[in-house]
Amino acid sequence: MVTNSGQKLIIILSILYISSSLFSQAFAAPGDQPLLTQSSLTYLGAFRLPNGSSDQNTFAWGGTGMAINLVQNSLYIVGHDWYQRLAEVSIPSLGTGTNVASLPIATLIQPFTEAFEGKMIQINPSDPNSKKAGSLLVANNKLYMGAWSYYDGAGTQTASQFVRPLSLSTTGQVVGPVKVGNTYPGWIDMYAGTIPPEWQSSFGGPVLTGGCCVSIISAQSLGPSASVFNPADVGSKNPVPATLVVGYPYSNPTLGTWEGSGSPNPLYNMTTSVKGVVFPQGSRSVLFFGSTGLGKPCYGTGIQCSDLEGASKGTHAYPYTSYVWAYDANDLLSVKNGQKKSYDIRPYATWQLNLSFASGPERIGGAAYDPASQKIYILGEHGDSDSPVVQVYKLNLAGGSYSYSQSSYVSGTPTPTPTPSPTGGLRGDLNNDRIINSLDWSIMNSKWFTADAAADLNSDGIVNSLDFSIMNGNWLKTI
């Protein structure tokens, strides 16, 4: 005969057994979360961008930067390369057809605007060459923008970051440029992405920003680079503090050299570009998105370099592909903590990402991430004739979809590490039975990545591993 206490023990053990596999994957401590692979991304569909009314007001020959506005379910995208204007478009339903003409078209929400208001030239006023829009990020109800100097032969660019209101029609409130970190600005001005809340305390900030692979190459990172910073510091500090966590100086070409060694090296070569970084919640993977050549690096004309897709004189490594560099966040942390140099670490995996609508060499212009739906938006240049196409991928992660809290992702200060200190009861006793055990974990499990107030033990706006660490600290305690 099974006693009441015996029945309770059986129930508890059953709950623990059922939830153990799910917990070990989705709810593990950040450093133990899974690494993503190529099979972790499932293609969902794509959409086109609206036609422009003129060269100044078009996405044609543009699409070189992108940021997601999760509140509006929209995207900020850079337009024509000559004019560097920004516009905001809706995210429509996705098309799954193979004919680009059948894809849905986004709606223009805010028209093309010179969002820098003439200040872009100030990143490098003594240099006569072009200045271009780089990183874009929506945070703190503002639009953060990076800019970079095209062919900075004298190495005189000193700043890169701006901030402005989300409304592109608001004028006179652009702040910048300011310098971020202590590296050459080309290492931080091309792309940016958020750090998941459960990782922010370890990294010391809420955002990764980086740059790669443009001239002058001796000043740039020879491969993906990223630094941690707090965008809330832009406008209040100059320089803005930043911590380099990955990057490859010219003197330490871990991934390869610009000219190559005579053999194909898609990890890095003279045609490589990196245009986006995504750090998916529920994983320990940091994904860099860009393009690279699969062939032998060659400088010359298309005929001299046997390039069937590019005839002009310049850099070649035909054929070309979109590309993903996947890093383990634990490796980036080892750099942040001084255990390794920025150039000591390598991607744990790389893979090609098919831009099925590319008309010519595959070029990624930007990447954006929605943590609530676990979708990644990829801006493929020249997918719709001369205009970009946005392709959307779903991340396959244990635990399903997540609730998004902007304050927990990017706020004025990095997410603090909570210190368990029970007040007015036992923190984590979610069913009020005066003991912390698997019954309480089962309740927290059901509220994972939501904003449930009872299960959000550290009151940061989201139920995640930080809250479980509090519960775990009180495990089997009673009152």
Side-chain angles (χ1 to χ4, degrees), residues 358-437:
S359 55
E362 290 191 13
R363 303 288 187 195
I364 288 179
Y369 169 59
D370 180 352
S373 64
Q374 288 289 37
K375 292 177 182 177
I376 296 179
Y377 295 83
I378 301 297
L379 190 60
E381 298 179 22
H382 300 284
D384 182 12
S385 184
D386 295 330
S387 295
V389 166
V390 179
Q391 297 190 189
V392 185
Y393 295 82
K394 174 80 171 181
L395 285 166
N396 307 312
L397 279 168
S401 297
Y402 303 118
S403 293
Y404 173 77
S405 168
Q406 185 173 15
S407 62
S408 68
Y409 249 82
V410 183
S411 57
T413 57
T415 303
T417 301
T419 301
S421 54
T423 57
L426 195 57
R427 296 177 75 187
D429 183 17
L430 301 184
N431 66 346
N432 298 312
D433 66 352
R434 304 173 71 85
I435 184 172
I436 307 295
N437 57 22

Side-chain angles (χ1 to χ4, degrees), residues 27-279:
F27 310 139
D32 296 327
Q33 290 174 335
L35 291 171
L36 303 177
T37 64
Q38 184 173 10
S39 63
S40 302
L41 278 71
T42 299
Y43 175 69
L44 295 182
F47 61 89
R48 291 185 288 163
L49 300 178
N51 292 326
S53 58
S54 67
D55 284 349
Q56 293 189 34
N57 301 304
T58 182
F59 292 110
W61 299 97
T64 53
M66 179 171 64
I68 190 166
N69 184 343
L70 292 163
V71 176
Q72 295 282 4
N73 193 38
S74 62
L75 298 168
Y76 289 89
I77 299 177
V78 180
H80 195 295
D81 182 64
W82 289 357
Y83 304 100
Q84 298 295 303
R85 294 186 169 209
L86 269 62
E88 184 182 13
V89 301
S90 65
I91 298 176
S93 58
L94 304 179
T96 57
T98 57
N99 184 351
V100 69
S102 69
L103 297 178
I105 301 176
T107 300
L108 196 67
I109 298 176
Q110 293 196 74
F112 288 92
T113 305
E114 206 288 86
F116 293 84
E117 296 185 17
K119 291 188 174 184
M120 192 186 294
I121 192 174
Q122 295 176 18
I123 67 171
N124 196 0
S126 65
D127 184 86
N129 295 309
S130 302
K131 316 299 185 293
K132 297 181 182 293
S135 61
L136 298 176
L137 178 74
V138 175
N140 305 320
N141 201 34
K142 297 176 181 179
L143 179 61
Y144 294 86
M145 310 179 296
W148 57 282
S149 190
Y150 179 82
Y151 204 86
D152 183 15
T156 49
Q157 181 181 349
T158 58
S160 64
Q161 299 298 309
F162 299 80
V163 62
R164 60 157 297 123
L166 290 175
S167 172
L168 298 179
S169 63
T170 301
T171 59
Q173 297 184 37
V174 176
V175 176
V178 301
K179 181 176 175 61
V180 175
N182 57 13
T183 62
Y184 175 73
W187 285 54
I188 53 89
D189 56 18
M190 296 291 293
Y191 47 82
T194 52
I195 297 172
E198 64 267 28
W199 286 92
Q200 289 177 16
S201 179
S202 297
F203 275 98
V207 169
L208 292 172
T209 186
C212 167
C213 316
V214 297
S215 299
I216 296 296
I217 202 64
S218 60
Q220 305 287 345
S221 173
L222 276 63
S225 72
S227 295
V228 180
F229 87 115
N230 190 339
D233 291 335
V234 177
S236 62
K237 299 178 181 180
N238 192 10
V240 172
T243 302
L244 180 68
V245 291
V246 62
Y248 306 92
Y250 191 76
S251 57
N252 300 96
T254 304
L255 303 187
T257 61
W258 183 83
E259 62 277 5
S261 59
S263 300
N265 179 34
L267 267 180
Y268 176 79
N269 60 60
M270 62 177 64
T271 67
T272 300
S273 67
V274 181
K275 290 298 187 72
V277 61
V278 171
F279 192 163

